[in-house]
Amino acid sequence: MSREPSPQDRAKRAAAEEALTFIESGMKLGLGTGSTAAVFVKLLGERVKKEGLKVIGVPTSIRTGELAEACGIKLTTLNHAGWLDVTVDGADEFDEELRLIKGGGGALLQEKIVACASDQMVVVADQSKQVRELGAFPLPVEVVPFGWQVTQALIAETLDDFDVGGDKIGLRLFKDEPYLTDEGNFILDLHLRRIGEPEELATALNLIPGVIETGLFINIADVVVIGREDGTADIIEYVEDEDDE
Ligand code: 5RP
């Protein structure tokens, strides 16, 4: 039995529908992970089936690949595609400079690789993801299982030097076992509450040997499509201040 769409469902759909306006026949697309990206994949599949839209997708997780296949979207690997036109993906938070926290769904590594191999990254999100300052959402950091507790200790030490609002770190679990990413790694969730210097923190965390990647996406997103509960959507593009260059 299908349930009535919630206001948040309507907002996600509005964002996904608007994101379709960035897609043209012949494009190579990165397909994101998460509930909002999944709505986009389903709508894209409808256009492929009904209108014969010709696109080829590179999924950012096993589950997105399975969904896209079920929706009739042709898939390839990133190696085979080489470079992509547009990636459409969700976010856990975004700020006014379109800096993101991603990885709530555990797919941050492939998501970052795919987004960085694209001419354009379009983020689909509902209004709840828009924040003044990043960090209320716990920052996911993908780490190698080998020696992960030492890596966690090094992360904790690194946090001491940063302007953040909290320092609790939790190993992400699934059914009481460490959650495993598609690459077989662990995720540490950093409960920072507030991240004063996202760029600097991302750089410092990436220097720790056991850290594979962080969920901070800086200078990667080009556009955020915000879906609203009334079914409308707004497009936000970040235009860099000339003085900042
Ligand atoms: C997965 C992600 C997702 O894009 C993010 O968690 C947002 O998901 P949702 O659209 O379900 O809120 O980064 O790793």
Side-chain angles (χ1 to χ4, degrees):
M1 208 167 60
S2 65
R3 62 173 177 86
E4 271 289 294
S6 68
Q8 204 184 20
D9 290 340
R10 281 201 295 274
K12 287 178 185 183
R13 188 180 168 99
E17 273 173 352
E18 188 67 32
L20 279 174
T21 62
F22 289 83
I23 310 304
E24 289 167 19
S25 216
M27 280 186 166
K28 294 192 265 186
L29 304 177
L31 304 174
T33 297
S35 58
T36 321
V39 179
F40 171 79
V41 169
K42 287 179 194 160
L43 292 174
L44 182 70
E46 282 173 21
R47 284 196 58 192
V48 168
K49 280 188 189 146
K50 290 187 190 146
E51 299 167 28
L53 184 79
K54 292 217 176 334
V55 290
I56 187 149
V58 173
T60 53
S61 61
I62 294 170
R63 60 189 183 277
T64 296
E66 288 169 350
L67 174 67
E69 220 160 29
C71 292
I73 299 168
K74 227 172 123 192
L75 297 179
T76 188
T77 62
L78 184 59
N79 278 341
H80 197 258
W83 193 257
L84 306 173
D85 297 291
V86 180
T87 284
V88 178
D89 201 349
D92 299 301
E93 282 186 355
F94 67 91
D95 71 5
E96 62 172 9
E97 291 177 41
L98 306 194
R99 297 178 295 193
L100 316 175
I101 287 184
K102 282 187 54 57
L108 65 106
L109 179 58
Q110 289 190 27
E111 290 174 334
K112 198 178 269 190
I113 294 170
V114 167
C116 289
S118 307
D119 281 340
Q120 195 177 33
M121 180 191 193
V122 176
V123 175
V124 279
D126 62 76
Q127 220 177 334
S128 68
K129 309 291 180 68
Q130 188 169 24
V131 296
R132 207 176 48 79
E133 200 169 29
L134 297 175
F137 190 91
L139 174 65
V141 177
E142 185 156 343
V143 299
V144 177
F146 176 82
W148 69 270
Q149 284 166 310
V150 175
T151 305
Q152 174 172 342
L154 289 173
I155 291 174
E157 221 173 81
T158 301
L159 290 179
D160 287 344
D161 298 336
F162 281 88
D163 174 24
V164 291
D167 59 6
K168 205 173 130 269
I169 303 176
L171 176 67
R172 192 178 296 185
L173 299 177
F174 179 69
K175 294 184 180 162
D176 291 336
E177 294 294 327
Y179 171 87
L180 284 184
T181 67
D182 283 355
E183 277 71 37
N185 299 313
F186 292 173
I187 289 190
L188 296 173
D189 288 305
L190 279 45
H191 297 257
L192 306 178
R193 299 202 294 262
R194 188 178 59 74
I195 302 174
E197 304 150 314
E199 284 86 350
E200 290 80 354
L201 181 62
T203 304
L205 291 174
N206 272 314
L207 286 173
I208 298 171
V211 169
I212 297 171
E213 196 44 85
T214 80
L216 281 167
F217 282 46
I218 314 266
N219 290 329
I220 297 177
D222 299 284
V223 173
V224 176
V225 182
I226 310 181
R228 304 199 185 275
E229 295 176 358
D230 65 2
T232 61
D234 291 327
I235 294 175
I236 306 183
E237 279 178 70
Y238 177 58
V239 185
E240 202 173 359
D241 199 328
E242 276 178 25
D243 297 340
D244 294 345
E245 284 175 19

